[in-house]
Amino acid sequence: MAEETLPGTADDDGPDSIVLHVDMDCFYAACERLREPELEGKPVVVGMGYEPGEGHGAVATASYEAREFGVESAQPISTALERLPRIDDLAPDDDPAAAGHYRTVDLEFYKSVAADVKAILHDCADVVREVSIDEAYLDVTDRTAWDLAASGDRTLAEGFARYVKQRIAREVGVAASIGVAPNMSTAKIASDFDKPDGLVVVRPGEVRSFLAPIPVEEVHGVGPVTARKLGSLGIETAGDLADADAAVLEAEFGSRGRELHERARGYDDRTVTPTGRPKSLSRESAFTEPTDDSEDKREVVRALAADVADRARSRGAMYRTIGIKVVVPPFDINTRATSLSGPVDDPELVESVALDLLDAEFEATTVRKLGVRVSKLSFADADQSSLDGWESAGSGGADGDGDGDGRVSDEPEASAAADGADEPPNTGGETPSRGGQSSLVEFD
Ligand code: DCP
Ligand code: MG
């Protein structure tokens, strides 16, 4: 996220990105429970090859109740049946709680549930990287902050993640575990840390201490072979790896050794590169000290508007809404936007609309942060399946985790989210528009 600091501002978003890793809990089993609620709370095993006479096949996933009996993904069906007999095979006086409900994989159905979840994720973040059917990274640096919420010792980022989790539960009916961290690899470990129904937040200063006790095989990029080699060097945890001599690691594993060393120390400079198209583009910037100086504020808005318009143009995006965000100390977030009568690519208009919105209500206001956003995007190259040149700067080509475990992977797809369906817990505003329309803002 190496972006320039705007004049007169502190780049408080700079190195401390906010990345969410969202991973659904026992996803296929959760989908089965959606259409068969009576499976709730019971051991559920989803896989292929359970039908009588079929001896082959493997477990795709097991509910957490089934996992207590030792049933797990990729296990042969025969093992699963030994550990957890079919409910249909029980004798009348056997304990039904110690038997499994088996369902055959129905990928089409799971994909439709996943699409509903992904729509919410795209609604909650501009940058979403879908990694598999039930897993995605979100960069929400522009949408929330590491600052503490006014009400206590929790961060605003935690509140935001809780909102995402609750929306998925309420609107789709499946449970997600979410990890929040300043980088991708830590966020992934965090989402796994307290499954099921987990929400684990690792703040920028806590990354290294959080990682220290984690087994090395959970560090991004460490497979079973590497883990065994590291074990033979006496390196069992991420903390051991962080403390190891980088030269020794490099001698053993080449340049990857250095990279693993960095990851264990909490460094991961990969940016979340999106699949699909963004719903909006925004940029915000905080002042070193809150200011009410009208010209300072206008200067920042001009720079932000130019940046956002530039990014939109480089992505071939036209916009129908232009908005601003004004954060008043301590954390009072105000958003205002103007809807245009049709999509435009017009940097001067972004600047003049943003300045008008600022002047209309906030000319004398003391602010600590300002943002500019364009939304209701449309793309000239709508038929093209991927966007060229997307956030090319600094991209390490993050492409999932390369687990190679043969799981189903979702095709990248455009956001299907309904505009402004349900907003994060921020204030929004309505303004008269130029084209005679007015719109409720979807700016966070
Ligand atoms: N999957 C599969 N074969 C595997 C692993 C997974 O078919 N070897 C499928 C079934 C899972 C889905 O992919 O439901 C998502 O994989 P996860 O690893 O995220 O596993 P779950 O979501 O089932 O469980 P968890 O709660 O551990 O995330
Ligand atoms: Mg999962």
Side-chain angles (χ1 to χ4, degrees):
M1 310 253 132
E3 285 182 308
E4 279 176 28
T5 304
L6 288 162
T9 65
D11 192 357
D12 65 350
D13 292 339
D16 292 336
S17 298
I18 306 171
V19 178
L20 266 53
H21 181 256
V22 179
D23 189 302
M24 311 310 295
D25 298 327
C26 57
F27 185 57
Y28 291 4
C31 293
E32 292 296 339
R33 283 172 167 168
L34 267 186
R35 55 182 175 189
E36 266 187 273
E38 55 279 20
L39 294 177
E40 207 59 59
K42 295 178 180 161
V44 177
V45 181
V46 182
M48 305 280 250
Y50 291 108
E51 298 318 311
E54 296 179 26
H56 302 292
V59 174
T61 196
S63 71
Y64 281 78
E65 293 81 357
R67 292 181 198 193
E68 283 180 20
F69 293 87
V71 179
E72 55 187 43
S73 292
Q75 196 168 56
I77 171 152
S78 48
T79 311
L81 284 164
E82 273 162 29
R83 299 193 174 169
L84 195 59
R86 298 169 71 110
I87 191 102
D88 305 335
D89 297 340
L90 283 196
D93 51 348
D94 284 343
D95 175 10
H101 297 259
Y102 291 86
R103 296 292 177 269
T104 299
V105 170
D106 177 357
L107 204 51
E108 285 312 305
F109 177 57
Y110 309 150
K111 278 185 179 171
S112 73
V113 178
D116 293 344
V117 174
K118 303 272 168 76
I120 292 172
L121 300 184
H122 282 277
D123 202 35
C124 292
D126 301 336
V127 182
V128 177
R129 178 159 197 90
E130 300 177 13
V131 181
S132 75
I133 191 168
D134 86 324
E135 183 186 351
Y137 292 93
L138 279 58
D139 185 330
V140 296
T141 313
D142 283 347
R143 298 251 182 158
T144 181
W146 281 115
D147 301 286
L148 293 182
S151 55
D153 62 354
R154 303 220 165 128
T155 58
L156 294 171
E158 175 171 345
F160 188 90
R162 194 174 301 284
Y163 160 80
V164 175
K165 201 165 142 60
Q166 285 169 352
R167 265 192 75 180
I168 296 170
R170 193 175 64 235
E171 294 175 29
V172 188
V174 290
S177 289
I178 301 188
V180 187
N183 61 51
M184 291 173 76
S185 55
T186 310
K188 174 154 171 94
I189 292 172
S191 76
D192 200 42
F193 192 77
D194 193 24
K195 263 184 172 288
D197 204 23
L199 174 57
V200 174
V201 182
V202 185
R203 299 181 202 185
E206 301 169 348
V207 173
R208 190 144 172 196
S209 59
F210 168 76
L211 294 177
I214 302 284
V216 272
E217 44 271 53
E218 289 181 34
V219 174
H220 177 87
V222 177
V225 176
T226 308
R228 223 173 302 124
K229 274 197 199 163
L230 287 169
S232 69
L233 296 170
I235 298 168
E236 308 279 347
T237 63
D240 297 340
L241 186 56
D243 293 339
D245 184 341
V248 170
L249 293 170
E250 202 166 346
E252 186 72 32
F253 302 102
S255 63
R256 206 165 64 90
R258 195 166 283 274
E259 195 173 272
L260 295 178
H261 189 235
E262 301 252 293
R263 294 269 162 83
R265 291 154 58 88
Y267 299 115
D268 175 7
D269 61 1
R270 292 175 298 154
T271 48
V272 181
T273 50
T275 47
R277 297 180 186 286
K279 281 179 45 111
S280 60
L281 294 165
S282 65
R283 175 96 196 267
E284 57 189 58
S285 189
F287 290 92
T288 325
E289 294 287 334
T291 183
D292 63 357
D293 186 290
S294 165
E295 204 33 55
D296 281 357
K297 289 185 288 187
R298 289 174 62 88
E299 188 184 334
V300 167
V301 164
R302 270 189 225 110
L304 292 169
D307 182 82
V308 166
D310 193 48
R311 280 164 59 202
R313 183 168 285 177
S314 69
R315 288 156 181 71
M318 314 253 279
Y319 29 87
R320 267 184 44 213
T321 300
I322 298 168
I324 62 164
K325 173 172 172 175
V326 179
V327 183
V328 177
F331 303 109
D332 181 16
I333 300 168
N334 301 276
T335 59
R336 300 291 183 269
T338 295
S339 267
L340 311 169
S341 48
V344 298
D345 163 13
D346 186 344
E348 280 175 20
L349 190 63
V350 178
E351 178 180 308
S352 67
V353 168
L355 287 173
D356 286 353
L357 291 169
L358 180 75
D359 291 345
E361 280 181 73
F362 305 102
E363 198 181 359
T365 310
T366 300
V367 307
R368 62 172 285 267
K369 204 175 207 183
L370 289 167
V372 172
R373 164 167 300 199
V374 294
S375 54
K376 297 254 168 70
L377 302 185
S378 51
F379 292 87
D381 59 343
D383 290 329
Q384 201 177 300
S385 63
S386 74
L387 263 179
D388 292 330
W390 173 262
E391 207 67 79
S392 53
S395 164
D399 63 346
D401 300 316
D403 313 304
D405 64 1
R407 76 178 59 181
V408 180
S409 194
D410 245 0
E411 287 299 311
E413 56 194 1
S415 163
D419 273 356
D422 195 351
E423 289 308 306
N426 289 330
T427 50
E430 202 172 339
T431 59
S433 78
R434 306 202 156 199
Q437 287 172 287
S438 70
S439 83
L440 201 63
V441 188
E442 72 271 83
F443 196 141
D444 65 301

